[in-house]
Amino acid sequence: MSKFPGLKLTNIDAPSLGSPITMTDEGKLIVPNDPVIPFIEGDGIGPDITRAMKIVAENAVYKAYGSNKKLHFWEIYAGEKCNQMFGNWLIDDTLEAIKYFKVAIKGPLMTPVGGGIRSINVRLRQALELYACIRPVRYFDGVPSPLKEPWKVNMVVFRENMEDVYAGIEWPAGSVECAKIRNVLTNEFGISLREDVGLGLKPISVFGSKRIMRKALQYAIERGRSSVTIVHKGNIMKYTEGLFRACCYEVAKEEFFDQTITEEDLSSKRTGFSSSKKVIVKDRIADAMFQQILLRPEEYDVVVTPNLNGDYLSDAIAATVGGLGIAPGANVGDEAAVFEATHGTAPKYAGMDKVNPTSLILSSVMMLEHIGWKEAAALIVRGIERTIQSKTVTYDLARLMKGASEVSCSKFAETVCENM
């Protein structure tokens, strides 16, 4: 009898060791002591940082639990390596594996600008219904930052992952399809457009908006965070991002009434509103929020946004604490979760054992927290803190830190293990 009943693979072999993570009917993970963790090493620098991540995660688990628990990493495929092996940038086996084993981790995947393949990252999110992109950003003491007081930054961005312009509903200029859409807009709605336009749709639904807000509020309540800020451009896009804002407030009011309070109610002089142990719900216009993360970052905790705003904003917040090299991320749905490096593939550094692996290592911290192995996660954070404070860092930080010792990607991982 198969060790993994129901796992249907065509191109790759099932893992030889480990057990699957399963889920209750209520959506709670059941994690064995030997979980299989599918991984995609990624393109460009992906193999380097994935090796580093695995070393750190495996060491942390051993130091936290001895031989009682162990991660069994199992390689699955997407991106350039997948295309070379199977003639496809993303194979069905990869999607099947993530659905089956519930939790996976991946390095960065290449997406060409303009023509060529669509984003594999977007395809993964859509195929697996990974509707919440979660990006925690915090400062590590000693990391060079453009802010005078970067330690005030401690935010978690919840970016809606399925809708908005990232849904990929668009037509190129000059195409027959684009002309049809343009004619409908002109003839039926009186909207005048130039003949040479490219067109795209920006779908934002009540369902999708409420779902991401629900996820953000649950996170804030469970983690004891102080506020959830809705970031939007509802002043201009009233029926899409304005809808997003309205739906977020509706979820707070109707589903989390006893656990939340709006900023408006808190600041009003009306009686009967207490902020004691409640999450404050507020909203900010997106362009103003970019100012706020620089000037008043301490006022923001959990941030929830539509897709495009979240993409911009999460990278901008990461820049305030030292850049994407130390910013982790996860794409989470109700059935599966994929943890990932948030930066690009940096192909000019591929295979050089040079780049900073902290983003993917911190993503493994999120993964360990997700499966409930919090002791191992805490060890990794401690190891990173001590390593950076000792100024033993990769080139990207070493060139900005006076008196730093520059080390390779793999040596940085080894040092993190020593400093746990």
Side-chain angles (χ1 to χ4, degrees):
M1 184 175 178
S2 171
K3 187 176 182 180
F4 305 108
L7 177 63
K8 300 175 182 178
L9 301 174
T10 302
N11 294 298
I12 61 177
D13 294 328
S16 57
L17 298 172
S19 303
I21 295 172
T22 56
M23 185 176 287
T24 67
D25 292 339
E26 294 76 30
K28 183 178 180 180
L29 292 182
I30 302 172
V31 182
N33 289 334
D34 61 341
V36 173
I37 305 294
F39 74 93
I40 300 167
E41 64 177 11
D43 299 328
I45 59 173
D48 287 347
I49 65 173
T50 297
R51 280 191 296 270
M53 176 277 297
K54 289 165 62 182
I55 289 169
V56 172
E58 289 170 343
N59 269 268
V61 169
Y62 182 77
K63 289 185 177 182
Y65 312 112
S67 58
N68 294 322
K69 293 184 178 183
K70 185 176 182 179
L71 299 172
H72 290 278
F73 286 105
W74 170 56
E75 187 172 9
I76 57 177
Y77 302 93
E80 292 179 306
K81 185 175 183 178
C82 183
N83 192 45
Q84 291 169 3
M85 293 175 65
F86 306 109
N88 201 330
W89 294 86
L90 177 63
I91 56 174
D92 290 341
D93 283 2
T94 294
L95 299 174
E96 169 70 12
I98 298 172
K99 289 177 184 176
Y100 188 89
F101 291 103
K102 308 299 181 189
V103 173
I105 191 165
K106 60 176 281 293
L109 294 172
M110 181 274 299
T111 301
V113 177
I117 63 168
R118 284 193 178 273
S119 169
I120 304 169
N121 294 315
V122 172
R123 287 170 62 189
L124 279 168
R125 295 166 193 164
Q126 292 178 342
L128 298 167
E129 198 72 18
L130 305 176
Y131 62 86
C133 179
I134 306 172
R135 297 275 297 272
V137 185
R138 55 152 290 188
Y139 179 67
F140 285 90
D141 187 34
V143 174
S145 165
L147 294 188
K148 291 182 179 179
E149 299 175 310
W151 51 88
K152 291 183 177 180
V153 177
N154 188 353
M155 302 182 213
V156 184
V157 177
F158 276 71
R159 166 189 168 196
E160 200 287 319
N161 237 354
M162 306 297 295
E163 301 186 328
D164 203 351
V165 293
Y166 276 50
I169 307 171
E170 59 178 353
W171 301 271
S175 67
V176 173
E177 296 82 2
C178 189
K180 287 181 179 180
I181 300 298
R182 176 179 170 274
N183 288 337
V184 169
L185 293 172
T186 301
N187 298 331
E188 297 190 23
F189 296 96
I191 298 171
S192 178
L193 296 170
R194 294 185 177 90
E195 292 185 3
D196 57 356
V197 295
L199 291 175
L201 291 181
K202 180 186 175 72
I204 289 184
S205 70
V206 171
F207 176 83
S209 301
K210 287 188 172 183
R211 181 169 63 171
I212 190 66
M213 182 59 169
R214 193 175 294 120
K215 198 85 165 175
L217 282 171
Q218 288 168 344
Y219 180 96
I221 292 164
E222 291 171 1
R223 304 293 181 103
R225 310 291 291 216
S226 62
S227 68
V228 172
T229 303
I230 307 156
V231 178
H232 61 93
K233 280 295 290 182
N235 57 328
I236 304 299
M237 291 170 274
K238 300 182 184 298
Y239 306 122
T240 51
E241 301 210 11
L243 175 67
F244 180 86
R245 174 186 180 275
C247 289
C248 288
Y249 273 120
E250 193 172 315
V251 169
K253 180 180 180 181
E254 296 183 355
E255 300 180 29
F256 297 87
F257 177 79
D258 293 334
Q259 297 154 302
T260 64
I261 184 170
T262 67
E263 185 179 53
E264 181 182 0
D265 285 340
L266 189 61
S267 61
S268 74
K269 295 183 179 179
R270 288 177 289 172
T271 59
F273 292 104
S274 171
S275 63
S276 177
K277 297 182 180 180
K278 289 189 175 183
V279 176
I280 301 169
V281 178
K282 51 192 174 182
D283 72 278
R284 297 290 183 269
I285 302 297
D287 43 342
M289 188 63 180
F290 278 88
Q291 273 201 106
Q292 295 290 293
I293 64 174
L294 299 175
L295 301 177
R296 303 164 78 171
E298 69 277 11
E299 296 183 10
Y300 300 95
D301 198 336
V302 175
V303 176
V304 60
T305 81
N307 207 332
L308 184 61
N309 289 338
D311 196 359
Y312 294 153
L313 193 64
S314 54
D315 282 12
I317 299 172
T320 68
V321 297
L324 292 176
I326 57 171
N331 296 292
V332 180
D334 294 330
E335 301 291 332
V338 178
F339 300 83
E340 65 177 355
T342 60
H343 52 69
T345 59
K348 71 176 181 178
Y349 295 122
M352 296 175 64
D353 192 25
K354 183 180 179 70
V355 299
N356 188 345
T358 305
S359 174
L360 193 59
I361 292 173
L362 286 173
S363 296
S364 77
V365 169
M366 294 180 70
M367 179 187 76
L368 290 167
E369 291 174 341
H370 182 74
I371 66 174
W373 293 12
K374 297 181 180 179
E375 298 83 1
L379 284 177
I380 296 176
V381 173
R382 186 195 309 173
I384 291 173
E385 288 174 338
R386 290 176 173 176
T387 302
I388 292 174
Q389 288 168 5
S390 72
K391 297 186 177 182
T392 306
V393 291
T394 49
Y395 83 99
D396 57 317
L397 297 181
R399 61 188 176 182
L400 302 173
M401 297 169 65
K402 187 176 181 180
S405 298
E406 181 179 333
V407 295
S408 65
C409 175
S410 56
K411 182 62 178 177
F412 180 85
E414 292 172 10
T415 308
V416 169
C417 294
E418 294 167 3
N419 285 330
M420 286 180 186

